[in-house]
Amino acid sequence: MSNEFAGKTAIISGGAGGIGLALAEEFGQLGMQIVIADIDQKELAIAEQKLRDANIQVLSCPLDVTNYQQWEDTVAAAEAKFGNIHMLVNNAGVGGIPGSVDKTKIETWKWVLDVNVMGVVNGTQATAPSMKRHGQGGWIINVASMAGMNGVPFSGAYAASKAAVVSMSESWAVELKKHNIAVSALCPAFVQTRIHESLRNLQPEYKGVKDQAATLAKSGSAVNKAKALVESGIPTSVLAKRVVEALQSGQTYIFTHPNFRSTVAYRSSLLDAAFADAENSPIVRHLKDDEIVML
């Protein structure tokens, strides 16, 4: 299969480790010029050197994805160094703090949604104009989760944020198709990353989140379970190869764990049953054959 990635440029948020670094390595080996951006500048420098040692052309940029100006600075630096941008990977994300709906702090919700949702919005708004302008097409990969395909008890903020990422990806895929920009939602289950240690890069404005984390840490069980689940996941290198494979076959949804097919199918069956119930409703069944009008 031809290598359509060689000679093109990718910006990867959260590129200093985990999924972001694995994708940087994989696409770099395919001949892409890589821009890794991350809030952790110490790890960023280490990652940059690792990519250089692998003979990958790389630029590193400090980036807090909640800061739009930093996104604009990253795009400008990427263009100055490599020229046209062809790929955006909105990877940076946080796992939130496990807790019931009545015990999850509003500040935790704000932190998770600002990073996981607005970080993706910021990245796409800052980068899409550049990708559209050169007219060569490209790819936007938004890192969601299997949690975006099904709600997860006691992880409402995280699941909601990833469902938003899936929905935004679906919306933008239609919007950007005419520009030959493919948009995909990457929905893995457990992967060997440090997402369970998201507090290590907590921005000062969300310092109250640590109070909820401290309460959770006293019990230990939820923290240990999250750590065990992440460590039982697939290696990031496997995920990266799967992403390339899925892009080459034109997937809008990139799944890495086929064993979760039944859970998504069950959700689909509930949706279908709900439509059947509406069709049988004396209140709304007259709408069944109406033309579907989209904006």
Side-chain angles (χ1 to χ4, degrees):
M1 188 175 290
S2 63
N3 178 6
E4 63 264 54
F5 306 106
K8 297 180 179 177
T9 300
I11 296 178
I12 303 174
S13 71
I19 290 173
L21 181 56
L23 289 172
E25 291 176 307
E26 188 68 24
F27 284 117
Q29 293 296 346
L30 289 172
M32 293 194 81
Q33 298 157 154
I34 303 297
V35 180
I36 51 171
D38 204 286
I39 195 171
D40 189 331
Q41 295 188 46
K42 180 180 178 181
E43 291 298 319
L44 188 63
I46 295 171
E48 181 182 27
Q49 188 59 53
K50 183 177 183 180
L51 295 173
R52 289 192 190 283
D53 290 345
N55 295 315
I56 294 171
Q57 294 189 66
V58 60
L59 170 70
S60 66
C61 297
L63 174 66
D64 175 351
V65 295
T66 68
N67 186 315
Y68 188 75
Q69 182 60 57
Q70 290 183 23
W71 264 112
E72 289 193 320
D73 293 345
T74 298
V75 171
E79 291 181 320
K81 176 76 172 179
F82 296 127
N84 292 334
I85 299 167
H86 306 86
M87 177 182 286
L88 168 66
V89 182
N90 282 308
N91 165 68
V94 296
I97 308 295
S100 62
V101 62
D102 55 311
K103 293 183 179 179
T104 298
K105 288 181 173 291
I106 295 299
E107 194 163 7
T108 297
W109 277 90
K110 289 180 178 178
W111 171 52
V112 173
L113 295 178
D114 281 351
V115 176
N116 291 1
V117 179
M118 292 312 301
V120 174
V121 173
N122 289 341
T124 305
Q125 288 199 345
T127 309
S130 176
M131 296 177 69
K132 290 164 69 173
R133 188 165 53 245
H134 60 64
Q136 300 171 3
W139 305 266
I140 295 176
I141 304 167
N142 297 321
V143 180
S145 167
M146 282 307 304
M149 308 301 292
N150 282 290
V152 180
F154 303 102
S155 294
Y158 179 75
S161 72
K162 295 305 183 178
V165 171
V166 172
S167 185
M168 291 189 297
S169 301
E170 293 167 337
S171 301
W172 298 339
V174 178
E175 289 181 32
L176 296 174
K177 184 177 181 180
K178 64 183 178 182
H179 299 284
N180 198 30
I181 298 172
V183 183
S184 301
L186 171 56
C187 301
F190 298 109
V191 183
Q192 294 171 13
T193 68
R194 297 177 66 190
I195 193 168
H196 58 295
E197 299 175 5
S198 298
L199 286 172
R200 71 187 189 279
N201 290 319
L202 184 71
Q203 300 96 321
E205 59 265 37
Y206 307 108
K207 59 184 179 181
V209 173
K210 289 187 176 180
D211 294 337
Q212 184 178 342
T215 300
L216 181 69
K218 291 178 181 178
S219 66
S221 58
V223 175
N224 293 335
K225 182 179 180 181
K227 182 175 184 290
L229 287 170
V230 170
E231 292 178 347
S232 71
I234 63 172
T236 54
S237 58
V238 172
L239 177 142
K241 292 183 183 302
R242 170 60 187 147
V243 168
V244 173
E245 178 184 59
L247 291 184
Q248 290 175 327
S249 63
Q251 300 304 305
T252 298
Y253 310 95
I254 302 177
F255 293 133
T256 59
H257 289 70
N259 53 317
F260 276 78
R261 183 177 184 178
S262 61
T263 65
V264 177
Y266 176 67
R267 181 188 189 224
S268 298
S269 72
L270 294 179
L271 295 175
D272 192 62
F275 273 116
D277 186 67
E279 288 178 2
N280 292 325
S281 165
I283 300 172
V284 295
R285 65 187 175 198
H286 64 283
L287 300 174
K288 177 183 176 183
D289 298 319
D290 278 13
E291 179 184 0
I292 298 175
V293 179
M294 302 293 287
L295 293 177

